[in-house]
C-alpha cells in the first residue's frame, strides 16, 4: 500500500474558537468554502454554476447559456458567443455553509482568469464532458490546480448525451491527468436512458423530479441491474481510500462493512491532502446530479482553516513570514483581479487570508510602499454588488477607492507588513495595430486601453518605435476580438484595427561574449563603468537568468542592482527586430569600476550595450510561438485535414479514434493558423472542430527570417 495520511486537525469546529473568529461574522470559518468551477470550453461550467445558484436559492430562475440569460455570463460578448470570458464571483449558501464561487473561462485565450482564480481558492470543481472526456483545456486547468495544490472534486457532466461514457472519462482522468480519481457515484443509465445516480456511500439511488427542474430528489433502492456493479464499485472505493488514509485502514481491518459516515470523513481527509479526487456524475442541463455535487463541495472540499497557513516575506528584512487563517492575525490579503465598473469605478477583487479588512481602513501596499484608504467593500454576485462593512479571514470580495493596487499586490497593515508571492502570467503571443478613427477619440482610446490593461495582465499595449502605431497584444485572435468589441461597446470609442500579427521573440543559439566601456562627461561630472557579459541559451520556457561571476572588488555591490536593471532593459528589446529576448542566461564575467567616477547610471548604460554586443556574438535567432492544435474531425475528412496541416508547417503528434471521430494533435506555428476556423469549416463541411493553446517558442526557419524582419 502507498503511504497514508493522518487526519488533519480542524482548528475551527464552529464559532466557539475565539482565537480564530471575530463577533459579527455571519458563518463560522469551518463552514466557508472558496471554490472555482474549471473545465474545457463547452463542458458545462456555467450551466452547472447556474444550477448551483438556483438550488441554493441565490436566483429564482434558471438562466441558460444558449439563451444568453446565464447569470454568471453577464458580459454582452459572453451572451452573444455562449462562452465565459471573464471569471465571475458570487456567494451562495447550502446547508448552513457559505460557498464563494468563481466561474472561470474554458477558452485558452482567457486562461489567465483560471490561473489567478486558482491562486486564491481553497478547492475546485473540475467539470468534464461525458462524451468529450479529458480535453486539452481540461489538462491545462488541471495542471494549474496542481501547481497551487488545490484539492478537487470532479463532475462528469452531460450524461444525457449520446455517446456518454462515465467509465471512459474516469479512466482518462487517471491516464491523461495522472489524477487519483475515485468514483463516489455511478450513473443510472446513459444518454436518453439517464435517470439519476447511485450514491456509493449510502448505497442508495437518487432520482430527480423533471417537472420541478430537479429541485426535488428522491432516494430509492438501487435497481437490480446495477446492484452487483454498485457493490463492486463501493468495495473499490473503500480500498482506494484506505490505501491513503490511516483511520479508514484501521476501520477496514476491523470490518469490511465501513459505515457511510466513516467513509465520508476519510474521503474528506484524503481529498484535502490531494491524495484522491472524488468523481460524481450528472446532467446540469437536465437538472440531474447538481445537489449531490453541492453536498460533495460541503463534505469533501476544505474550509479556509483546513489549508496550510499563507506564506510570504517581510518587505523590510526579506525573512519568511506565515499567517494562520484567523480574524485576529495581522491583515493579509491578495488582489487577484482588477475590474473597471462604470458605477463604482476601479475595483479590486481581494482574498483575505488573515485578519479583517474594514470599510474606510488604511491599508499598505508593499510593492508601491504606499498607504491607501479603502472607500467601499463589496460582496460580489456576477455584475451585481452588495455593500458590506467588513471582509473577514477566508472571504473573497471587492474593494473600491484605491488608486495604485494592481493584480498580484498584497494588502496588509503598515505596522506588520507582509509580501505574498505574486501571480505569474504568460506573455502575449499575438499583436494588432489599432488607431482612433478621429482625433476626438484619441484620448478616449488611450483611457480605454489603460483600463483593460489594468484588468488583464495578459493584455499589453505599446507604441511601435518606427511607425508610431499603437499596438495591442494578447493571447489569441478571440482575445483581441473581444478587446476591440469592448472598446466600441463599453467605451463608445470608434477605432480602426489592423490584421493580427505574431508576437515574435528572440533567443541565442550559442555562447557569446561582449564588453562595453562607458566613459564620458555628463554635465560637470565624469562617469565611468566597464562591463564584460557572457550569454548562453537557457532551457526552453525556463526564462532569463542573471548571474554574477565576479567579486565585489571588480564590480562593487552598490552597482549590481543598476546592472540588473540595464540587462533587463536590453532583454526587452533584442538585437534583430526589437523583440524581447527569452530563455537566456546572462553572466557578468568581468568589469572595472573607478573609485570616484563610477555611477549607477554608467553601469546601467554599460550593461545595456554589453548585452547587445554579447547577444550579437552568440548567434541571435528569431523565435515564433508554436500552438498545440487538437482537431476532432470525421474520418472521411482526415486526409484533407492532415494535408492542410502539412501546408501550414504543422507537425502531427498523434492521431487516435474517439467514438465516431478522429482526433489529431499537432504543433503548428501561430503565424500559420490565422483564420484556421474558416479553413477547417470549408475542408470538412462544417463538421470538424478544434482547440488551440500556446505550447512553446521555436526558431523561425532561416529562409523565413529575413522576410519577417523586413516587413
Amino acid at each position: 500500500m502507498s503511504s497514508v495520511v493522518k487526519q488533519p486537525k480542524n482548528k475551527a469546529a464552529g464559532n466557539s474558537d475565539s482565537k480564530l473568529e471575530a463577533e459579527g461574522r455571519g458563518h463560522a470559518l469551518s463552514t466557508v468554502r472558496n471554490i472555482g468551477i474549471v473545465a474545457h470550453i463547452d463542458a458545462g461550467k456555467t450551466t452547472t454554476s447556474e444550477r448551483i445558484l438556483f438550488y441554493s436559492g441565490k436566483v429564482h430562475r434558471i438562466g441558460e447559456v444558449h439563451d444568453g440569460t446565464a447569470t454568471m455570463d453577464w458580459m454582452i460578448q459572453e451572451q452573444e458567443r455562449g462562452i465565459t470570458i471573464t471569471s465571475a464571483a458570487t456567494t451562495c449558501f447550502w446547508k448552513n455553509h457559505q460557498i464563494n464561487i468563481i466561474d472561470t473561462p474554458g477558452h485558452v485565450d482567457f486562461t489567465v482568469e483560471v490561473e489567478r482564480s486558482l491562486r486564491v481558492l481553497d478547492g475546485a470543481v473540475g467539470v468534464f464532458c461525458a462524451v468529450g472526456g479529458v480535453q486539452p483545456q481540461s489538462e491545462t486547468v488541471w495542471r494549474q490546480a496542481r501547481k497551487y495544490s488545490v484539492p478537487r472534486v470532479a463532475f462528469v457532466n452531460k450524461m444525457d448525451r449520446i455517446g456518454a461514457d462515465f467509465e471512459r472519462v474516469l479512466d482518462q482522468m487517471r491516464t491523461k491527468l495522472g489524477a487519483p480519481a475515485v468514483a463516489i457515484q455511478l450513473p443510472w443509465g446513459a444518454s436518453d436512458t439517464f435517470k439519476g445516480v447511485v450514491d456509493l456511500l449510502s448505497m442508495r439511488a437518487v432520482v430527480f423530479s423533471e417537472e420541478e427542474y430537479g429541485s426535488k430528489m428522491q432516494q430509492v433502492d438501487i435497481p437490480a441491474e446495477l446492484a452487483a456493479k454498485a457493490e463492486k464499485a463501493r468495495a473499490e472505493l473503500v480500498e482506494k481510500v484506505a490505501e491513503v488514509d490511516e483511520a479508514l485502514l484501521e476501520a477496514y481491518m476491523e470490518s469490511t462493512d465501513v459505515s457511510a459516515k466513516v467513509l465520508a470523513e476519510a474521503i474528506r481527509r484524503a481529498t484535502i491532502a490531494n491524495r484522491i479526487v472524488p468523481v460524481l456524475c450528472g446532467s446540469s442541463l437536465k437538472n440531474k446530479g447538481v445537489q449531490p455535487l453541492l453536498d460533495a463541495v460541503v463534505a469533501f472540499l476544505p474550509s479556509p482553516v483546513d489549508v496550510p497557513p499563507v506564506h510570504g516575506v517581510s518587505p523590510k528584512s526579506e525573512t519568511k513570514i506565515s499567517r494562520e487563517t484567523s480574524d485576529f492575525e495581522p491583515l493579509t490579503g491578495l488582489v487577484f483581479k482588477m475590474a473597471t465598473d462604470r458605477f463604482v469605478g476601479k475595483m479590486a477583487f481581494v482574498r483575505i487570508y488573515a485578519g479583517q479588512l474594514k470599510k474606510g481602513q488604511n491599508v499598505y501596499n508593499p510593492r508601491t510602499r504606499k498607504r491607501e484608504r479603502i472607500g467601499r467593500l463589496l460582496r460580489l454576485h456576477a455584475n451585481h454588488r452588495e455593500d458590506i462593512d467588513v471582509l473577514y479571514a477566508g472571504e473573497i470580495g471587492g474593494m473600491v477607492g484605491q488608486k495604485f493596487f494592481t493584480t498580484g499586490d498584497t494588502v496588509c497593515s503598515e505596522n506588520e507588513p507582509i509580501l505574498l508571492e505574486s501571480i505569474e502570467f504568460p506573455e502575449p503571443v499575438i499583436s494588432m495595430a489599432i488607431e482612433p478613427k478621429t482625433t476626438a477619440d484619441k484620448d478616449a482610446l488611450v483611457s480605454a486601453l489603460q483600463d483593460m490593461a489594468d484588468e488583464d495582465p495578459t493584455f499589453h499595449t505599446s507604441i511601435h518605435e518606427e511607425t508610431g502605431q499603437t499596438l495591442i497584444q494578447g493571447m489569441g485572435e478571440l482575445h483581441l476580438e473581444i478587446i476591440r468589441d469592448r472598446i466600441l461597446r463599453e467605451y463608445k470609442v470608434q477605432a480602426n484595427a489592423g490584421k493580427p500579427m505574431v508576437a515574435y521573440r528572440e533567443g541565442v543559439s550559442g555562447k557569446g561574449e561582449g564588453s562595453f566601456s562607458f566613459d564620458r562627461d555628463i554635465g560637470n561630472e565624469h562617469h565611468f563603468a566597464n562591463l564584460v557579459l557572457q550569454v548562453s541559451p537557457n532551457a526552453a520556457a525556463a526564462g532569463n537568468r542573471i548571474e554574477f561571476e565576479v567579486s565585489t572588488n571588480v564590480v562593487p555591490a552598490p552597482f549590481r542592482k543598476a546592472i540588473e536593471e540595464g540587462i533587463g532593459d536590453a532583454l526587452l528589446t533584442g538585437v534583430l527586430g526589437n523583440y524581447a529576448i527569452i530563455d537566456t542566461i546572462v553572466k557578468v564575467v568581468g568589469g572595472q569600476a573607478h573609485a570616484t567616477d563610477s555611477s549607477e547610471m554608467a553601469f546601467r548604460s554599460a550593461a545595456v550595450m554589453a548585452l547587445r554586443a554579447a547577444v550579437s556574438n552568440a548567434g541571435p535567432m528569431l523565435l515564433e510561438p508554436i500552438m498545440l492544435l487538437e482537431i476532432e474531425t470525421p474520418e472521411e475528412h482526415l486526409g484533407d485535414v492532415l494535408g492542410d496541416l502539412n501546408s501550414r508547417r504543422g507537425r502531427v503528434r498523434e492521431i487516435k479514434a474517439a467514438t465516431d471521430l478522429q482526433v489529431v494533435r499537432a504543433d503548428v506555428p501561430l503565424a500559420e493558423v490565422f483564420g484556421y476556423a474558416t479553413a477547417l469549416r470549408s475542408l470538412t463541411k462544417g463538421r470538424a472542430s478544434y482547440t488551440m493553446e500556446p505550447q512553446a517558442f521555436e526558431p523561425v526557419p532561416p529562409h523565413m527570417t529575413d522576410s519577417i524582419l523586413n516587413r
Side-chain angles (χ1 to χ4, degrees), residues 118-292:
L118 288 171
R119 171 69 172 81
V120 298
L121 293 171
D122 301 324
V125 176
V127 180
F128 297 86
C129 174
V131 180
V134 174
Q135 297 166 287
Q137 192 65 5
S138 308
E139 298 180 47
T140 302
V141 298
W142 206 261
R143 191 166 58 245
Q144 289 170 314
R146 187 182 291 123
K147 173 182 175 181
Y148 295 114
S149 300
V150 176
R152 284 141 280 171
V153 300
F155 181 63
V156 179
N157 190 27
K158 303 190 178 184
M159 284 301 306
D160 60 304
R161 283 186 54 191
I162 295 173
D165 189 335
F166 179 73
E167 295 292 337
R168 180 172 57 84
V169 179
L170 198 64
D171 182 61
Q172 285 184 355
M173 288 182 66
R174 292 167 181 157
T175 54
K176 283 190 172 185
L177 303 178
V182 179
I184 62 172
Q185 289 180 348
L186 290 180
W188 182 355
S191 65
D192 55 351
T193 65
F194 180 64
K195 296 179 180 178
V197 298
V198 175
D199 181 3
L200 297 179
L201 278 77
S202 65
M203 290 301 283
R204 300 277 286 169
V206 184
V207 291
F208 303 85
S209 59
E210 292 191 16
E211 64 278 0
E212 297 175 79
Y213 298 105
S215 56
K216 288 187 178 179
M217 301 183 298
Q218 183 182 0
Q219 288 199 349
V220 297
D221 291 334
I222 297 174
E225 68 270 19
L226 284 177
K229 186 176 181 180
E231 288 287 348
K232 181 182 177 184
R234 191 181 200 273
E236 289 179 0
L237 169 62
V238 173
E239 286 180 10
K240 286 184 177 179
V241 179
E243 286 180 359
V244 296
D245 186 82
E246 191 177 80
L248 184 65
L249 180 60
E250 292 174 2
Y252 180 66
M253 298 297 283
E254 292 176 8
S255 170
T256 54
D257 187 19
V258 177
S259 71
K261 182 175 183 294
V262 170
L263 179 55
E265 290 171 350
I267 291 173
R268 175 176 178 78
R269 292 191 295 270
T271 302
I272 292 173
N274 275 307
R275 293 299 182 90
I276 67 164
V277 176
V279 183
L280 302 91
C281 60
S283 169
S284 297
L285 186 64
K286 296 298 176 67
N287 310 306
K288 296 175 181 178
V290 178
Q291 296 99 316

Side-chain angles (χ1 to χ4, degrees), residues 458-478:
T458 60
F459 172 64
H460 296 178
T461 67
S462 61
I463 305 294
H464 194 281
E465 288 184 5
E466 295 178 7
T467 65
Q469 285 182 305
T470 299
L471 298 179
I472 58 175
Q473 298 173 300
M475 299 304 297
E477 284 184 274
L478 180 61

Side-chain angles (χ1 to χ4, degrees), residues 460-592:
H460 296 178
T461 67
S462 61
I463 305 294
H464 194 281
E465 288 184 5
E466 295 178 7
T467 65
Q469 285 182 305
T470 299
L471 298 179
I472 58 175
Q473 298 173 300
M475 299 304 297
E477 284 184 274
L478 180 61
H479 190 190
L480 295 186
E481 182 186 322
I482 298 296
I483 293 288
R484 188 171 56 184
D485 198 45
R486 288 185 62 195
I487 289 170
L488 175 64
R489 296 198 192 186
E490 281 182 41
Y491 295 92
K492 313 296 183 189
V493 177
Q494 299 293 322
N496 295 319
K499 292 182 178 179
M501 300 175 290
V502 177
Y504 292 96
R505 297 288 184 269
E506 295 181 25
V508 295
S509 57
K511 189 179 287 187
E513 196 171 281
S515 63
F516 189 82
S517 287
F518 188 91
D519 187 1
R520 66 182 64 172
D521 293 319
I522 301 177
N524 295 323
E525 295 183 8
H526 186 71
H527 295 267
F528 175 82
N530 175 267
L531 269 185
V532 182
L533 302 182
Q534 185 185 89
V535 298
S536 58
N538 202 358
N544 296 322
R545 194 168 80 237
I546 301 172
E547 300 175 355
F548 284 85
E549 293 192 349
V550 291
S551 69
T552 53
N553 294 329
V554 176
V555 178
F559 300 126
R560 296 201 169 196
K561 185 176 181 183
I563 292 171
E564 289 179 349
E565 290 173 350
I567 292 172
D569 290 344
L571 288 170
L572 289 174
T573 54
V575 299
L576 294 176
N578 292 322
Y579 301 112
I581 298 170
I582 61 170
D583 300 336
T584 299
I585 300 170
V586 183
K587 296 180 180 179
V588 182
V589 295
Q592 185 180 355

